[in-house]
Amino acid sequence: MPSEGPSAAVHTFASGPSSTWSQYQGDAAHDGSSPYVGPATSQKSWTATLASGVSGLAASDGTLVVDTPSNGTLMALSLSTGHYTGMFYAGGTGGLRLVSNYPVYDGSAAEYAHYVYSCGIVTCSVYGSNIAQWSTGGGWESTGFGISSDWLLSEANSQVFVTASGSNALYALSYGSGAIQWTDPFHYDLSTLPAVGAGLVVVGFSNSPLVAGVQASGGAGAWNFTADGAVGSPAIAYSAGDFYFGSTLGTLYAVNSTGVKLWSWNDHTLPVTTTPAVAFGDVFLGDSAGTLWAMNATSGASVWNFSAGAGITTSPVVSANHLVYFATTTGLVEAVNATTGALVWSASVGSAGVDGLVLADGQLIVENASNALTSFQSYPITFVESGLATGANWSVTLNGSTEYSKTASITFSRPPGTYPYTVDSVAGYSSDPVSGTENVSSSGVTQYVNFTRAYPVTFVASGLSPGTNWTVTAGSPPVAKTNTTTVRSHGGLVFLEPQGPLTFAITAPSGYGVAKVTGPASANATQTTASVATVPLNLVVTFGPLEILYFNESALPQFRAYSGAVWSVALTPSLSHGGPPSQSAHTNGTSITFLVPHGATYHYYILTPGSEYKAAPSFGTVGIPEHYLGKIVKFTLLVKSIVFHETGLTSHQSWTVTLTSGTSPAITFPLSGTSTAGGLIKFKLPVGTYNYTITATDAQTPSPSPGSFSVLTAPSPAQTITISFS
């Protein structure tokens, strides 16, 4: 039954969220399973050597917490670099020393760290501290436990569960204040970290084969289970409603949340000295003889075993990308495939044995017996799909390695670098993107893939000789496919495309052009687009040999534009859908030519050098049935009559009008006309603005002179300008 515990003090903090690797074997379940991708290679990112021995690690939110009890410090390092960032010092004066082998660190917004230390035998404390206050020791303190040996802590659901190796009491503290919620005394010495799951706290004992489960909410006893020997591993593991632990006689047990044995396993007589890891439906356990075992979590049946060649010193940890990590007495760190047991990579961290592993934020942190920390790091490259039916199988190939999934995500783990990828095709679907590259530098990357129901679009060639290659590029992003016609078949290129508009490009073989693209009326096919419905779409591409189509100005000077004038021709397909592509060209010479496919029909339009010209013909339709088909174009200059009329001039005197300049490039300036008194001077001028001067043979003065006028439209009725002499 719960009983009152020692006094609690003082400062209060809000509870933080669960961490990436907040305590031994990940969290209070101690199952060694990480939700994060682990390193898929032996790439080391940093190493750090500490001045004193390390007894435990925890990590969250970019910070690695290191417990170094021999000098009474709890240290913070940058998870990404291994550089020192902070320290709490509790050792030295009055016999204070940190004695927690397994610190608990929750990196919430306030960044809490839970840790414990002992000051002598009588007055012992549990502390909760804001990491920003380590230098001042700010936080809460719960005192008077009377524990002087190594502390054992777990934290879950706003509670901190405290005991110590050799103690016979289990305490529950408030996460935010350190207040003692309940105390549960036992008749035997506790030896495991409290394991939390299914509303229970489960512990084992060093001098009894009992395993006890108590209610986390109040400490009431729930059940006892008797093993064949004491449970000596650092912790009991909890996963999916069941608890897993090993005995000093080498038996591994699975017990459900009511304390009923599900199965036991013993393929050796070696004591179980590490905590089993549970992930992906299997249980993983290493032994001192150097074998890593995998058993089915439901039945206990053997799945595989791997020989490491030296005693395994660490509890295994398992990453989200199905890798099991462990280390040996010879300082070797190894990663094996969780499904097959095949070795993935192996690396040495020194000749000393390895004491512990942390798997957080894509990093594997290794603690060895020589006080050295080594980080192995790969970053996750995650592909997240949408649009597929639930349970549909899909795959991604990254730099030659393919991963499959029936869930919404596929994750690779890679060191920094650039990696090409391809989203492999899924029957009946198209994907966006289809391929690309991912750049990994200092963090993971996520690529979203949208799958859309796709329907076959088939392009069939017509008009090509056997053995001729032709290409269609279609889709988004564009994919090019090439086919070769045969004697019996004109070939077909099939694309899977989503419903809606499709853009494509057809590459004709040398000497050929596309005369037309035809398909069902609903497809509205052009030479570059079509509409894809929810049924297969067949498009016929008609090729024709290229012909020369020319347009020449008339050889007669009066039917040609002025020298240097630019004129142009525009061709558009006569078919409303599927005709050849439009073309246009311009020149200041006398001829324009086009290469057009045999069998095509075009509308053509002649664009004159300016509004002062009229083209004949100005438009029309031309088919391409034979070589060297051409059109003769005649340009007519459109002019308006400009009439100068004089008044006041002395009889028999002559007068002259000189056009000195103007905007029409069709006129050469100056341009003059002369008449006698009473006579008219006439010009035929195209549209433009003109400047003039008036002179006479006597001394009479003309007005206006100089002057200007504009021709706004041509042809049109004559325009009269009156000049007065005085």
Side-chain angles (χ1 to χ4, degrees):
M1 295 293 294
S3 62
E4 293 184 1
S7 62
V10 273
H11 309 293
T12 302
F13 300 110
S15 175
S18 61
S19 300
T20 56
W21 199 267
S22 64
Q23 49 206 298
Y24 177 74
Q25 287 297 91
D27 56 23
H30 307 308
D31 65 357
S33 175
S34 173
Y36 294 89
V37 169
T41 68
S42 58
Q43 179 89 23
K44 295 179 181 178
S45 58
W46 56 261
T47 59
T49 301
L50 306 181
S52 59
V54 177
S55 69
L57 305 171
S60 180
D61 289 354
T63 297
L64 178 68
V65 173
V66 183
D67 194 349
T68 55
S70 61
N71 66 357
T73 60
L74 195 67
M75 186 181 302
L77 304 179
S78 167
L79 194 58
S80 61
T81 65
H83 295 163
Y84 168 85
T85 59
M87 178 185 293
F88 179 83
Y89 180 67
T93 306
L96 267 66
R97 68 183 185 90
L98 287 169
V99 292
S100 171
N101 280 337
Y102 307 105
V104 179
Y105 172 48
D106 242 347
S108 68
E111 293 190 329
Y112 293 97
H114 292 296
Y115 54 89
V116 296
Y117 67 85
S118 167
C119 43
I121 297 177
V122 179
T123 58
C124 305
S125 302
V126 178
Y127 271 70
S129 172
N130 186 318
I131 194 169
Q133 299 174 318
W134 277 8
S135 60
T136 60
W140 54 258
E141 177 184 5
S142 190
T143 62
F145 291 93
I147 299 174
S148 60
S149 57
D150 290 349
W151 290 78
L152 301 170
L153 266 76
S154 296
E155 180 271 317
N157 303 321
S158 300
Q159 290 179 287
V160 183
F161 302 98
V162 183
T163 184
S165 178
S167 170
N168 60 5
L170 175 66
Y171 301 91
L173 283 64
S174 167
Y175 177 95
S177 67
I180 308 300
Q181 296 177 337
W182 52 261
T183 304
D184 210 338
F186 296 96
H187 296 294
Y188 306 103
D189 294 337
L190 291 153
S191 62
T192 66
L193 287 156
V196 185
L200 301 172
V201 184
V202 178
V203 292
F205 305 90
S206 61
N207 55 354
S208 170
L210 287 180
V211 173
V214 300
Q215 298 290 338
S217 60
W223 49 261
N224 291 326
F225 175 83
T226 302
D228 62 358
V231 177
S233 61
I236 292 167
Y238 168 80
S239 179
D242 301 322
F243 295 87
Y244 303 85
F245 51 86
S247 74
T248 54
L249 296 183
T251 302
L252 179 67
Y253 291 93
V255 175
N256 69 15
S257 59
T258 63
V260 175
K261 184 177 82 170
L262 302 175
W263 53 264
S264 61
W265 171 92
N266 194 333
D267 269 11
H268 54 37
T269 58
L270 299 172
V272 176
T273 57
T274 60
T275 300
V278 188
F280 306 117
D282 290 331
V283 182
F284 306 94
L285 180 69
D287 64 28
S288 58
T291 301
L292 181 70
W293 304 87
M295 288 78 68
N296 181 275
T298 303
S299 66
S302 179
V303 178
W304 52 259
N305 63 80
F306 174 84
S307 178
I312 296 175
T313 58
T314 64
S315 299
V317 299
V318 188
S319 67
N321 51 326
H322 293 253
L323 294 179
V324 183
Y325 304 95
F326 60 92
T328 69
T329 55
T330 59
L332 200 64
V333 179
E334 295 189 305
V336 300
N337 185 289
T339 304
T340 65
L343 179 66
V344 176
W345 61 263
S346 179
S348 175
V349 292
S351 58
V354 174
D355 292 335
L357 305 174
V358 164
L359 184 59
D361 296 337
Q363 290 178 261
L364 179 70
I365 310 297
V366 180
E367 162 206 343
N368 76 5
S370 297
N371 307 331
L373 301 176
T374 302
S375 169
F376 297 88
Q377 186 166 30
S378 294
Y379 294 102
I381 303 175
T382 303
F383 294 84
V384 179
E385 71 83 13
S386 61
L388 289 179
T390 302
N393 194 21
W394 65 293
S395 62
V396 176
T397 300
L398 182 77
N399 202 33
S401 176
T402 302
E403 290 286 341
Y404 299 85
S405 177
K406 291 185 177 181
T407 67
S409 65
I410 292 175
T411 300
F412 298 84
S413 179
R414 294 293 183 270
T418 300
Y419 302 93
Y421 70 85
T422 300
V423 179
D424 302 321
S425 60
V426 177
Y429 289 87
S430 64
S431 68
D432 181 21
V434 174
S435 60
T437 58
E438 295 295 344
N439 296 310
V440 178
S441 56
S442 60
S443 62
V445 294
T446 299
Q447 174 65 59
Y448 293 94
V449 180
N450 181 40
F451 283 95
T452 307
R453 287 290 299 173
Y455 305 91
V457 178
T458 303
F459 293 83
V460 177
S462 174
L464 294 179
S465 302
T468 306
N469 291 332
W470 58 289
T471 302
V472 176
T473 302
S476 178
V479 175
K481 296 184 179 182
T482 300
N483 205 337
T484 303
T485 59
T486 65
V487 174
R488 295 185 178 181
S489 171
H490 288 89
L493 297 175
V494 181
F495 296 81
L496 286 176
E497 299 297 333
Q499 182 183 7
L502 171 66
T503 299
F504 55 87
I506 300 169
T507 303
S510 177
Y512 284 83
V514 178
K516 57 185 176 180
V517 176
T518 55
S522 59
N524 294 321
T526 72
Q527 285 227 346
T528 57
T529 62
S531 295
V532 180
T534 57
V535 294
L537 173 61
N538 293 321
L539 299 175
V540 177
V541 182
T542 301
F543 294 93
L546 292 177
E547 310 275 358
I548 295 176
L549 172 63
Y550 66 85
F551 292 81
N552 285 349
E553 275 193 279
S554 170
L556 299 176
Q558 66 268 35
F559 296 121
R560 295 181 60 187
Y562 60 87
S563 178
V566 177
W567 60 285
S568 59
V569 179
L571 297 180
T572 60
S574 63
L575 296 177
S576 59
H577 294 289
S582 298
Q583 301 183 58
S584 64
H586 62 271
T587 184
N588 60 0
T590 60
S591 182
I592 293 176
T593 61
F594 297 95
L595 282 176
V596 291
H598 183 92
T601 302
Y602 291 92
H603 296 308
Y604 66 86
Y605 301 89
I606 309 299
L607 304 180
T608 64
S611 58
E612 67 267 33
Y613 282 97
K614 177 181 179 181
S618 60
F619 63 91
T621 301
V622 59
I624 316 299
E626 59 186 16
H627 292 284
Y628 304 108
L629 181 67
K631 291 290 183 182
I632 302 298
V633 180
K634 296 180 180 181
F635 290 108
T636 301
L637 185 63
L638 300 177
V639 295
K640 181 175 185 177
S641 292
I642 304 298
V643 179
F644 284 83
H645 167 71
E646 68 82 20
T647 62
L649 190 65
T650 303
S651 179
H652 305 297
Q653 296 298 312
S654 65
W655 61 290
T656 301
V657 178
T658 302
L659 302 182
T660 58
S661 62
T663 59
S664 174
I667 302 299
T668 301
F669 297 96
L671 180 64
S672 298
T674 300
S675 183
T676 59
L680 302 177
I681 299 175
K682 298 180 180 181
F683 298 93
K684 290 186 179 294
L685 299 174
V687 171
T689 298
Y690 300 90
N691 301 310
Y692 65 87
T693 60
I694 309 296
T695 60
T697 57
D698 62 8
Q700 289 180 274
T701 302
S703 178
S705 178
S708 64
F709 63 91
S710 296
V711 177
L712 301 179
T713 59
S716 62
Q719 180 175 338
T720 300
I721 300 172
T722 300
I723 305 298
S724 298
F725 286 92
S726 60

